[in-house]
Amino acid sequence: MNKVVANAAEACKGIQDGMTLMVGGFGLCGIPESSIAELVKLGVKDITCISNNAGVDDFGLGLLLQGKQIKKMISSYVGENDEFERQMLSGELQVELIPQGTLAERCRATGAGIPAFYTPAGFGTEVAEGKETREFSGKMHVLEKAFDPDFAIVKAWKGDTNGNLIFKATARNFNPMMAMAGKITIAEVEELVPAGHLDPNAIHTAGIFVQRIFQGEGYEKRIEQLTVRTKN
Amino acid sequence: MALDKNGIAQRIAQELRDGWYVNLGIGIPTLVANYIPEGIEVEFQSENGILGMGPFPFEGEEDADLINAGKQTITAMEGAVYFDSATSFAMIRGKHVQLTVLGAMEVSEKGDIANWKIPGKMVKGMGGAMDLVASADNIIVAMMHANKKGKSKLLKECTLPLTGVGCVKKIVTNLAVLDVLPEGGFKLCERAPGVMVEEIQAVTEGRLVVEGDVPEMQFGLESVS
């Protein structure tokens, strides 16, 4: 089934003010750069954004923060972003911080038809406040619920016209679970090939989870923390 | 003499066992990878989705698609594998990772740990720390014994918001190796070379249990750098 759309503008059609969006990536690794640029252009506001991080000041989701397009961020870690800090401390931006494994599993549950699950993470901490808890095998667990996103936006390395996706290295991170979770899932890829050109054994995300796919352009792939060793 | 960060990492590395999968947190824990004892094989897991994490890349060989949980560029060892975040935390919650080493702001004598939030200051988030401490059977905390103001980080009760409850079993500081006792309290197991029990007692606010002569840490032939 052909899922191809022409570009980011086509892919982002229907995204409106007040919607909930899942955005893949870990830090700046594996983020849908083309779609984020399109969201900036669209100027959609009051977005609830589910993403592990919030980008940096001038890249990634930080670009949406600059334009005050995000109403609420649901993340596990949001450091390294001054504008985020300013908006959070001034109360302009709502922030819900949740454990990273819980975030990943909530995304997976969303796409897998599981309304809620128990996890040990966060028991006895403020994360568990107001949530049901229950003992299993002598250990306490917290009930965590699936999300309800309107769109999921993911980035893959290669994709085919059927929407099958292959991710590269640690740029996979949250992308496969978020792809499963969107009512409409947008996948942008570095390389788009005809169906049949990817080895079915190597595909990470099945095209059934993807509604729109396009080849992004001009990937900057910015590195957040460049760490190297010297040859001697 | 009190250990520096590398010394703490070197002592923790002695806890590694052949065949273990190990998750190292950001900061001092990352340094543990530099001191793997000879003759044993361990694989490092980074929760953003790699098993078999290697050292930093050579200059010019960095790959934006290959980072660790601290968002630093890394390399992959031969035989490494990449996976998604849900699978990564299945490894962690499912107890497939044998050892977790992480830093802390405070640890209580009951094994509670606080390392993610200082109220009134910028809150960055817990990342994967809550999943790690809630699940791992074997958690070693790597930290300085006291904070920069000289105040003990080994407390009766944590004062900061908790990351996990009753989960820490072992702590390695610049001054000592301590076990958290099941009934509560820090059992002093080893002293840093030349550090007296009294010095450790002076910066341990929680109950310190000292039984008999407490040995000094041994670093074999290699020196503490």
Side-chain angles (χ1 to χ4, degrees), chain B residues 7-206:
Chain B
I8 295 172
Q10 199 173 358
R11 175 60 191 82
I12 290 171
Q14 295 173 8
E15 302 292 317
L16 299 174
R17 296 293 176 269
D18 192 39
W20 274 8
Y21 295 106
V22 179
N23 181 292
L24 300 177
I26 296 162
I28 300 173
T30 304
L31 301 172
V32 172
N34 298 333
Y35 300 99
I36 304 166
E38 269 195 41
I40 76 161
E41 191 184 343
V42 294
E43 263 187 50
F44 293 109
Q45 199 252 20
S46 196
E47 64 267 25
N48 60 314
I50 177 173
L51 199 58
M53 176 169 57
F56 295 147
F58 290 117
E59 214 171 336
E61 293 176 9
E62 62 273 6
D63 178 352
D65 290 326
L66 183 47
I67 63 170
N68 63 18
K71 301 170 191 164
Q72 298 171 312
T73 46
I74 53 162
T75 56
M77 304 293 284
E78 260 183 29
V81 57
Y82 306 118
F83 36 83
D84 64 59
S85 301
T87 304
S88 180
F89 282 93
M91 293 175 187
I92 290 163
R93 284 190 306 264
K95 300 182 192 295
H96 306 283
V97 174
Q98 277 81 22
L99 172 65
T100 291
V101 184
L102 76 176
M105 299 172 189
E106 297 176 347
V107 176
S108 84
E109 62 183 38
K110 293 173 290 190
D112 299 347
I113 177 171
N115 71 352
W116 76 280
K117 182 177 185 180
I118 303 174
K121 291 201 179 172
M122 174 55 187
V123 178
K124 294 186 171 183
M126 68 290 283
M130 283 193 183
D131 309 274
L132 282 159
V133 301
S135 311
D137 284 332
N138 193 7
I139 298 172
I140 300 179
V141 166
M143 66 177 190
M144 304 307 269
H145 211 96
N147 66 19
K148 282 174 186 152
K149 292 175 185 160
K151 192 174 167 297
S152 178
K153 295 169 73 170
L154 292 95
L155 308 173
K156 273 194 185 336
E157 300 272 354
C158 291
T159 63
L160 296 168
L162 294 180
T163 308
V165 180
C167 47
V168 177
K169 307 249 169 31
K170 189 180 276 293
I171 306 157
V172 179
T173 74
N174 53 326
L175 302 181
V177 178
L178 310 105
D179 282 346
V180 177
L181 297 169
E183 68 272 23
F186 301 107
K187 187 189 174 193
L188 184 58
C189 302
E190 295 175 28
R191 298 172 288 122
V195 171
M196 298 292 115
V197 172
E198 295 71 29
E199 293 174 59
I200 297 165
Q201 179 67 73
V203 284
T204 306
E205 190 226 78

Side-chain angles (χ1 to χ4, degrees), chain A residues 78 100 126 139 221 227 229, chain B residues 56-57 65 73 117 124 127 134:
Chain A
V78 293
Q100 196 175 117
E126 62 184 57
K139 186 167 174 156
K221 291 199 181 184
T227 44
R229 63 196 153 124
Chain B
F56 295 147
D65 290 326
T73 46
K117 182 177 185 180
K124 294 186 171 183

Side-chain angles (χ1 to χ4, degrees), chain A residues 33-231:
Chain A
E33 295 183 23
S34 302
S35 301
I36 290 170
E38 180 60 26
L39 292 175
V40 171
K41 207 189 288 177
L42 282 174
V44 284
K45 294 254 194 292
D46 295 326
I47 296 296
T48 294
C49 191
I50 302 163
S51 191
N52 189 54
N53 313 90
V56 295
D57 273 318
D58 60 345
F59 200 60
L61 292 175
L63 298 171
L64 295 184
L65 287 165
Q66 275 184 5
K68 303 193 177 145
Q69 292 176 262
I70 299 177
K71 177 181 71 179
K72 181 177 182 181
M73 240 1 263
I74 301 174
S75 303
S76 85
Y77 187 85
V78 293
E80 287 85 57
N81 190 322
D82 291 340
E83 178 60 15
F84 185 99
E85 183 171 351
R86 193 197 63 72
Q87 289 185 21
M88 180 173 161
L89 295 175
S90 72
E92 292 165 59
L93 179 69
Q94 301 168 42
V95 179
E96 184 181 342
L97 293 168
I98 58 181
Q100 196 175 117
T102 298
L103 176 62
E105 196 63 16
R106 286 178 70 184
C107 293
R108 203 193 75 79
T110 305
I114 295 171
F117 58 90
Y118 279 101
T119 175
F123 177 78
T125 76
E126 62 184 57
V127 162
E129 282 169 20
K131 292 176 184 162
E132 290 176 42
T133 57
R134 186 168 162 184
E135 187 189 310
F136 295 95
S137 306
K139 186 167 174 156
M140 290 305 293
H141 295 76
V142 183
L143 187 69
E144 294 283 2
K145 292 176 179 163
F147 292 111
D148 187 21
D150 297 293
F151 281 78
I153 308 175
V154 303
K155 151 83 193 326
W157 181 34
K158 293 177 181 175
D160 70 18
T161 50
N162 278 358
N164 295 309
L165 304 176
I166 295 175
F167 304 92
K168 190 181 151 207
T170 56
R172 194 181 319 183
N173 55 63
F174 284 82
N175 285 301
M177 288 83 62
M178 289 185 172
M180 293 165 68
K183 288 191 188 71
I184 296 175
T185 290
I186 299 166
E188 59 172 83
V189 299
E190 289 177 53
E191 189 186 349
L192 182 62
V193 299
H197 285 234
L198 297 179
D199 177 359
N201 289 300
I203 291 166
H204 298 128
T205 288
I208 191 170
F209 297 119
V210 174
Q211 280 68 47
R212 302 173 187 174
I213 189 168
F214 70 99
Q215 185 166 313
E217 29 185 68
Y219 283 104
E220 178 179 339
K221 291 199 181 184
R222 194 184 292 185
I223 290 172
E224 201 165 334
Q225 305 276 343
L226 178 64
T227 44
V228 294
R229 63 196 153 124
T230 44
K231 278 182 185 161

